Amino acid sequence: MRIRFRFAKVGKLRFTGQRDVARMWERAFRRASLPLAYTEGFSPRPQLSFGLALPTGAESLAEYLDVVLDDSRAETASVDLEALPDLLGPLLPDGIVIEEAVVAEGRIGSLQEHITSCSWTMRLAGVSRPELHELIDAMLRADNVLIERERKGKKVIDDLRPSVLGLAMVDTVVDQEIDPSGRTVGIMAELATQPRGVRPGELVAGLAAMATQRDEASQPMDDGSAEGHPNGLPVLDRACRTHQWIERDGLREEPLRRRDDPAGRATYALERAL
Amino acid sequence: MTSLWTQVEPLLAHVTKPARYIGGELGAQQPEHGPGVVSWLLLYPDTYEVGLPNQGLQILYELLNERPDAAAERSYAPWVDMEAAMRSAGVPLFSLEGHRPAAEFDVIAFNLSAELVYTNVLNLIDLAGLPVHAEERTDEDAVVIVGGHCAFNPEPLADFIDCAVLGDGEEVVGELNDVLATFRRPDGGWTDRQALLRALAQVPGVYVPSCYDVSYDETSGRLAAITPRFPETPERVEKRTIADLGAWPYPKQQLVPLIEVVHDRLNVELFRGCTRGCRFCQAGMITRPVRERPAEQVRTMVRSGLDRTGYDEVALTSLSSADYSGIEPTVTSIIDDPSCSGQVSVSLPSLRVDAFTVGTAAQIQRVRRTGLTFAPEGGTWRMRQVINKLIREEDLYAAVDAAFSQGWKRVKLYFLIGLPTETDEDTLGIVRLASRCVEIGRRYHKGVTVTASVGGFVPKVQTPFQWFGQNTIEELTRKVHLLRDAARPVRGLTIRWHDPKASAAEGISSRGDRRIGAVIEHVWRHGGTFQEWSEYFDLALWTAALEAHGMSLEDVAYRHRGEDDVLPWDHLSAGLHRDFLWQDWKDALAEHGLEDCRWTPCYDCGACTGFGVEHVVASAVPPAGGSQGTGQDLSTGGQVPVRFLAAAPSGAAPAAPGGTAVTLAAEGSA
C-alpha cells in the first residue's frame, strides 16, 4: 500500500535539507510502528520518495511524500488513514506539519517526474516597491535572462526566462502582514521545473541582472566605475513554496489538494514562524 | 536571559549546514534559568556533527537539568564560515537551546577528547566574550571548566581554564554545582571569584591550576615542582570513579539530531573501563576498573531507546565490547526482539581479534553487512608483546579467515607506527600481515580488499609509554614510505596513514607543561583553529609558535623522559601508581606481556585499591575464545599455523604473484 502525505515545512526547520527531512520521517514511522516496506538487497532502506527537493533555507506549504507499507504484514490493512496525521505529527519535529494523508491508488507516477511547476512567495530586501516593480516588468519583457549558476561543480550560463511562468508583486497589505518591519517586499512567482528547476535564489539573481542592465544602460560604460547600483540590488530574505503543480492537457492540479482545513494548520504555522 | 535568534537567523542563509545552529533536537531541553539556578553551557570544541553524539556531554546535560538548582544548555564550535559571519555581525557564541549569549552563563564547560582542539577552546572562550586568560576574569565572568580524557594533563591549558575535572563526571558535577551555587549572586556573577576557585579546588577530582605554583630548574629549564599555594589545597588530585554503572542509566533521553552526525545511532554503554592493559592506550589506563552495566539494564535501555528515538541502529559501546560478560545473549535478545521487526542492526564499535568474535559479528550484521575492523596495532608478535596487545598470529588469521568465510569482503586493520623499540622488521610486518589477510580472503572471494590504516603513535600521560620520546616527523614519514612501497605491488591491499605532522603537533600538547599555553595561544592568534581538520591543520604555525617561545619539537615531543623527571601531570592521578607504570614500561622494553587482571591476580596498579572500588564483572571466567593473552600459551604467539601459510588449498584462487614477492621482500629486509 502506498500512502501519499502532504505536509508543510516551516520555521527553524527550513534550515535542514531534504535528506534530513527524509530521516525525520523514517524515524517517525518507526516510532509509530508503521510497517514500512524495505528495499531488497544488501542494505535495505524504507521506500520513501519526495517531490522536488526544497532548497535548504526555504519553507514550504506544499511538500509531498510517498511511502510504501509492507502488504505482507497484517498491520498494514489496519492502518487508519484518518488518524495518521495526529499519530505521526507529534513524532515529527516542530516545523513539520502534516496536512493530508491518502492512499495513492493505481499507477500514480513519481512526484519527481510529474511536477511541472512550483508557486512561491518570497520576501526581498534591498529594493523599494517601485524599484522592484520596474525589475519585474523588465524581466517579463526580456527575451532572455542570463544568469550564472553551478551545475555539477561547473559554472554555466543559463537563460531562466522560459522558466518564469508568472511573476508579480503581492499587495502592500500582504507585505505588511508577513513582515511588519516594512524592510522587505513580497513577490509571487510560478517557476517551471522542466527541464531544470529554477530556485528562488536564481530568480532573484535574474532580477539583480535586470538591475545591472538598467544601471549600465543609464550610465556611461567607460568610467570603469564599480559603484553600480544606485538603487540597490534585490536580496532574497525568505522564500516559501506554496504549491507544486502538475500540468496535464493545459490544466494545473496539485498532487494532493489540501482539504478544506478550517484550522489552516500550515498557514497558521507559517504565520507563527514568520 | 536574552535570545540572539533574530541576529543569528540572517547569518544562516550564507553558511554551510545552517541546521548546525538551530537546536531543536529530540531530547533537547528548555531549562528554566533564575536567581537560584547555576547555568552551564556545555561545549564540545569541534563541529556540531562531531560533538553532538558525545555521550559524556549528554550525560552531564541530563544530570544537571534534573536538578532544580542547575540549568544546562549546549553549544559546539561554529564552522569557520559561521564564525566569520558571527564576528563581522558582532554576534557572540550562543547556546542552541535558547540562543542565549554564552557570556550570560555561569559556567562554560568543555569536553576535551583530543589535544588538537585546544586552539578551538581558546577561540570559543574568546567568541563567548570572556577574557582568554583565566587571571583576567572577574566576579562577573563565567568559570571555565574542562573534563574528559585530556583533562589528565591540563597543564597546556592552565592559563586559560579555571578548573579541570578528572575521571567520571556523574557524581562530581553535582558537587561542583553545590559549590558554585554557594558563591553565585542572585543577579548572576560571583560573590568572590578567588574564594570560589579555592573552594572548588577542595572538591575531590577537581584541579584548579591557579591554586598551584610551578617552578623550573634554573640550569636545565625543566619542570622542577608543582606545589599547592594554599594549605587546604590538595598536593595531589585523584580522579573520580563511579563504583556502579548500573546506578547511572544515562543518557535516558539521548539527543536525536535533525541533521546527520557521526555515530548517528542509539548508543548504550555496556561497561566502562578496560583492563586489557594495552600500554599505548590512555583510555584503557585512566578508566579502570571495569564496571559492567547489568545485562537487564542494557536490554531495557536498548528497547526504550529505540522506541523513543526511532533509530534502526544501536551501538553497544565500551572500550572492548566483545569482552562484556554475556555479550552473545545480549546481542541475540536485541536482534530477535519482535518489536524491532528484524530491521534493527547492532554494532560493536570495537571487536576483539578472534574467530569467536567474528561469529558474533556475523549474527549482528545480518541486516546490513558492511566491513569488519580489527585492531592488531602491531605488525609482529614481538611488537604486540611490547605494547601488550597480546593477539597471537593464529588468532588474528583465524579471525580474518572467519570474516571472509562468513561473507565479508572488506576487512580493515588498524596499526600504530612509531611505537617503542620498533624496528623496520616490525613496521614491514604490517604489510606482511595484511598481505597474508588478502591471501586468506582470496580463498573465498575474488575481489577482497584489506585496508591497513596506520597512525603515528603519540605517547599519552598516565600510561606506561608516558616516558617515551615519540618518533620524529621524518622517522614516521620514512616508515610510511616503507609501508607504501612494500604494499604497492599487493593487489587488494590499501595503506592509509595519518599525517605524521599532525602526530607531532598532537605531541606538543599531549605531554607539554604549562609553558605550552603560550604556544597554543600563538597558534590560535595566528588563525590556527580546527587543527584536527586536515584542511586547516598547519604544522608551520606550531613550529613557528614553538620557536617564538624558545621551545622545540625535539624537547617537547621527541625527548625520552627518565624515571627521575618531574612530569607536568605527576600531581594528578588516574589511580595508577607511578611505580606500576614505570615497571610496566620496563616490562614493555623487555617484551614482556601481562594478562588481563579481570580474571587473573591483581598487579596492584592502584586503580581499585586507591578508590576502594573493584571490577564489576558478571562472569568469573574469561569470554569464550579467550584470546588476547588470557589463558593462552604465549610462547606460540608468533607462530603462524600451516593452514594460514601462503600455499592456497586446491580449488581456491591462487595468491597474487605480487603478494608473494612482497612477503619475500618484507622478510628479506629483516
Side-chain angles (χ1 to χ4, degrees):
Chain A
M1 178 162 70
R2 177 144 61 154
I3 300 178
R4 175 166 290 180
F5 290 89
R6 174 174 169 145
F7 65 98
K9 178 187 176 190
V10 292
K12 287 180 185 170
L13 211 76
R14 73 182 189 277
F15 293 113
T16 60
Q18 187 87 349
R19 275 166 44 87
D20 302 322
V21 172
R23 293 174 332 109
M24 292 169 206
W25 278 94
E26 281 181 31
R27 289 192 298 260
F29 286 129
R30 279 193 295 262
R31 287 171 71 189
S33 302
L34 284 179
L36 293 183
Y38 280 76
T39 56
E40 299 284 316
F42 200 61
S43 179
R45 301 303 317 169
Q47 297 179 33
L48 264 56
S49 61
F50 291 82
L52 290 174
L54 184 69
T56 299
E59 287 169 298
S60 176
L61 303 181
E63 292 304 288
Y64 299 93
L65 162 64
D66 286 350
V67 61
V68 184
L69 298 188
D70 184 349
D71 290 323
S72 70
R73 302 259 304 267
E75 305 95 299
T76 300
S78 57
V79 166
D80 180 358
L81 266 188
E82 291 287 320
L84 268 187
D86 288 331
L87 171 69
L88 289 166
L91 303 179
L92 287 158
D94 280 353
I96 299 262
V97 186
I98 305 178
E99 299 273 342
E100 282 293 340
V102 298
V103 174
E105 312 257 13
R107 289 174 49 86
I108 59 163
S110 93
L111 287 163
Q112 291 256 10
E113 287 167 24
H114 286 78
I115 303 291
T116 46
S117 67
C118 296
S119 293
W120 298 85
T121 58
M122 297 173 211
R123 275 165 35 179
L124 271 51
V127 281
S128 64
R129 287 187 68 82
E131 282 161 17
L132 189 54
H133 205 273
E134 210 178 286
L135 297 179
I136 288 174
D137 272 356
M139 181 179 275
L140 293 176
R141 276 198 314 269
D143 294 328
N144 48 51
V145 178
L146 300 181
I147 58 157
E148 189 181 76
R149 56 179 176 178
E150 209 160 284
R151 196 183 307 150
K152 290 178 181 163
K154 279 183 187 160
K155 302 248 185 215
V156 293
I157 303 286
D158 275 336
D159 179 13
L160 57 85
R161 180 62 191 88
S163 302
V164 180
L165 307 179
L167 182 60
M169 313 215 8
V170 296
D171 67 43
T172 337
V173 181
V174 179
D175 243 18
Q176 289 295 315
E177 263 175 19
I178 59 173
D179 184 14
S181 76
R183 196 174 54 86
T184 55
V185 183
I187 61 169
M188 293 171 74
E190 187 181 341
L191 303 174
T193 60
Q194 312 281 359
R196 195 166 287 110
V198 174
R199 291 160 166 257
E202 292 164 347
L203 177 76
V204 177
L207 288 168
M210 295 296 105
T212 308
Q213 279 179 21
R214 173 200 64 199
D215 296 343
E216 283 171 359
S218 65
Q219 280 177 13
M221 289 296 290
D222 53 5
D223 69 348
S225 155
E227 295 296 300
H229 319 287
N231 297 316
L233 288 178
V235 177
L236 182 63
D237 181 63
R238 286 289 271 272
C240 178
R241 176 149 75 188
T242 56
H243 303 82
Q244 297 189 51
W245 300 110
I246 299 171
E247 189 178 314
R248 273 197 203 101
D249 311 323
L251 286 175
R252 262 185 358 174
E253 61 176 22
E254 300 190 75
L256 177 54
R257 212 172 308 148
R258 240 169 85 195
R259 204 183 322 186
D260 257 40
D261 179 7
R265 289 186 216 218
T267 318
Y268 168 73
L270 179 66
E271 278 164 9
R272 202 182 37 174
L274 290 167
Chain B
M1 284 197 164
T2 42
S3 168
L4 293 171
W5 175 247
T6 53
Q7 289 162 260
V8 171
E9 192 179 24
L11 309 180
L12 298 184
H14 312 289
V15 300
T16 51
K17 300 191 186 175
R20 287 166 167 167
Y21 313 105
I22 62 174
E25 304 89 347
L26 177 69
Q29 309 195 25
Q30 291 292 344
E32 286 200 26
H33 299 258
V37 177
V38 179
S39 58
W40 296 64
L41 182 62
L42 305 181
L43 265 169
Y44 194 92
D46 204 327
T47 61
Y48 179 85
E49 299 92 296
V50 176
L52 182 119
N54 185 273
Q55 297 293 290
L57 193 143
Q58 293 197 25
I59 291 169
L60 299 181
Y61 180 66
E62 288 188 20
L63 289 173
L64 285 167
N65 282 327
E66 282 177 5
R67 292 176 66 109
D69 60 349
E73 304 195 9
R74 296 163 295 123
S75 193
Y76 306 88
W79 188 241
V80 285
D81 58 352
M82 182 61 171
E83 189 208 331
M86 286 164 66
R87 287 195 188 271
S88 79
V91 175
L93 185 69
F94 52 86
S95 70
L96 290 194
E97 283 78 2
H99 291 89
R100 296 183 169 90
E104 287 187 16
F105 286 82
D106 301 316
V107 181
I108 293 190
F110 288 95
N111 178 306
L112 300 181
S113 34
E115 291 84 357
L116 282 177
V117 303
Y118 289 179
T119 55
N120 277 16
V121 171
L122 270 60
N123 198 40
L124 291 170
I125 296 174
D126 182 62
L127 205 51
L130 293 183
V132 170
H133 288 265
E135 62 180 11
E136 290 167 24
R137 291 182 203 132
T138 69
D139 288 347
E140 310 310 312
D141 293 318
V143 166
V144 177
I145 300 180
V146 298
H149 289 182
C150 291
F152 281 94
N153 179 24
E155 287 301 283
L157 287 174
D159 293 346
F160 317 108
I161 61 172
D162 294 300
C163 50
V165 182
L166 311 185
D168 298 331
E170 281 92 341
E171 288 168 349
V172 70
V173 72
E175 297 164 27
L176 283 167
N177 201 78
D178 287 340
V179 175
L180 291 159
T182 319
F183 286 85
R184 188 183 187 278
R185 297 197 314 259
D187 62 332
W190 311 107
T191 51
D192 180 346
R193 188 183 188 91
Q194 294 315 313
L196 165 65
L197 293 178
R198 282 177 69 167
L200 288 172
Q202 290 182 72
V203 177
V206 178
Y207 170 59
V208 177
S210 64
C211 290
Y212 294 79
D213 281 323
V214 182
S215 58
Y216 302 96
D217 186 277
E218 281 180 23
T219 43
S220 69
R222 300 260 157 79
L223 182 67
I226 299 184
T227 45
R229 292 175 54 205
F230 308 108
E232 78 279 8
T233 312
E235 275 182 34
R236 195 175 158 83
V237 179
E238 302 274 354
K239 73 160 180 179
R240 298 297 296 265
T241 306
I242 55 167
D244 179 10
L245 194 61
W248 303 95
Y250 292 87
K252 289 175 176 169
Q253 299 184 307
Q254 189 189 306
L255 293 164
V256 182
L258 298 174
I259 58 171
E260 201 162 3
V261 298
V262 303
H263 309 313
D264 201 359
R265 59 196 180 198
L266 181 70
N267 293 293
V268 174
E269 189 180 17
L270 282 182
F271 62 91
R272 201 169 293 178
C274 177
T275 43
R276 286 286 173 190
C278 303
R279 292 176 175 129
F280 56 86
C281 176
Q282 186 187 38
M285 290 288 164
I286 64 177
T287 60
R288 296 172 171 207
V290 172
R291 290 145 292 157
E292 290 188 352
R293 190 182 294 289
E296 190 46 47
Q297 190 178 67
V298 170
R299 281 193 287 274
T300 310
M301 287 176 75
V302 170
R303 200 175 305 121
S304 64
L306 291 172
D307 286 350
R308 194 187 69 83
T309 60
Y311 273 128
D312 62 351
E313 182 183 353
V314 55
L316 301 175
T317 65
S318 74
L319 292 171
S320 178
S321 293
D323 286 344
Y324 181 71
S325 304
I327 183 68
E328 265 211 310
T330 303
V331 164
T332 312
S333 73
I334 295 168
I335 50 184
D336 290 345
D337 188 331
S339 69
C340 300
S341 57
Q343 294 297 347
V344 168
S345 61
V346 179
S347 63
L348 301 179
S350 42
L351 283 181
R352 208 177 50 224
V353 187
D354 58 48
F356 175 80
T357 314
V358 175
T360 311
Q363 202 188 354
I364 66 183
Q365 285 202 7
R366 67 187 177 200
V367 182
R368 278 185 285 283
R369 187 167 288 194
T370 50
L372 267 195
T373 302
F374 300 108
E377 308 290 0
T380 59
W381 170 244
R382 190 201 74 80
M383 193 75 262
R384 294 197 295 274
Q385 284 178 296
V386 170
I387 62 177
N388 205 37
K389 183 107 190 182
L390 298 175
I391 301 163
R392 304 184 312 156
E393 300 277 314
E394 176 172 1
D395 287 322
L396 179 80
Y397 297 127
V400 171
D401 186 79
F404 286 125
S405 72
Q406 292 180 44
W408 274 279
K409 292 177 181 171
R410 280 189 293 144
V411 164
K412 194 170 172 185
L413 303 169
Y414 279 132
F415 293 98
L416 287 169
I417 55 171
L419 290 162
T421 76
E422 183 182 32
T423 64
D424 284 356
E425 187 190 356
D426 297 316
T427 311
L428 286 166
I430 292 171
V431 171
R432 187 169 45 188
L433 190 157
S435 305
R436 194 164 274 149
C437 292
V438 176
E439 286 164 19
I440 292 170
R442 291 242 175 78
R443 298 176 190 177
Y444 301 99
H445 316 284
K446 271 187 180 155
V448 295
T449 59
V450 172
T451 304
S453 190
V454 179
F457 174 59
V458 180
K460 294 292 158 92
V461 308
Q462 313 288 359
T463 71
F465 289 171
Q466 64 183 359
W467 288 280
F468 173 65
Q470 79 183 64
N471 276 193
T472 62
I473 296 173
E474 295 71 26
E475 178 66 356
L476 285 179
T477 307
R478 189 185 68 81
K479 288 174 179 174
V480 164
H481 288 166
L482 269 183
L483 289 171
R484 194 190 53 190
D485 293 346
R488 192 170 286 135
V490 188
R491 197 157 49 87
L493 173 59
T494 311
I495 304 271
R496 293 188 198 285
W497 59 89
H498 187 67
D499 181 2
K501 296 193 195 83
S503 300
E506 185 181 328
I508 296 171
S509 298
S510 171
R511 291 182 302 157
D513 63 32
R514 218 171 260 211
R515 292 171 290 192
I516 293 300
V519 174
I520 295 167
E521 185 174 352
H522 184 110
V523 172
W524 166 60
R525 290 203 185 276
H526 288 77
T529 56
F530 287 103
Q531 292 295 288
E532 72 286 18
W533 290 74
S534 58
E535 62 262 53
Y536 288 104
F537 173 71
D538 185 358
L539 180 73
L541 281 176
W542 291 93
T543 48
L546 282 168
E547 197 178 337
H549 296 277
M551 290 176 259
S552 64
L553 277 173
E554 281 67 26
D555 190 58
V556 176
Y558 303 155
R559 177 172 59 90
H560 292 292
R561 274 69 160 171
E563 191 178 10
D564 298 328
D565 272 290
V566 178
L567 303 173
W569 53 93
D570 272 344
H571 59 306
L572 307 176
S573 164
L576 306 162
H577 299 316
R578 201 183 200 263
D579 55 4
F580 164 79
L581 290 174
W582 181 258
Q583 182 57 46
D584 209 31
W585 172 224
K586 305 278 276 189
D587 285 349
L589 297 177
E591 301 170 16
H592 175 63
L594 286 186
E595 289 181 31
D596 191 320
C597 66
R598 242 171 302 195
W599 306 287
T600 48
C602 175
Y603 304 112
D604 194 22
C605 72
C608 294
T609 48
F611 302 115
V613 292
E614 50 191 37
H615 296 310
V616 181
V617 180
S619 169
V621 292
S627 77
Q628 291 195 207
T630 304
Q632 291 183 318
D633 179 5
L634 298 184
S635 65
T636 61
Q639 292 171 16
V640 183
V642 177
R643 67 191 171 107
F644 297 128
L645 291 177
S650 60
T660 312
V662 163
T663 307
L664 293 173
E667 282 164 354
S669 76

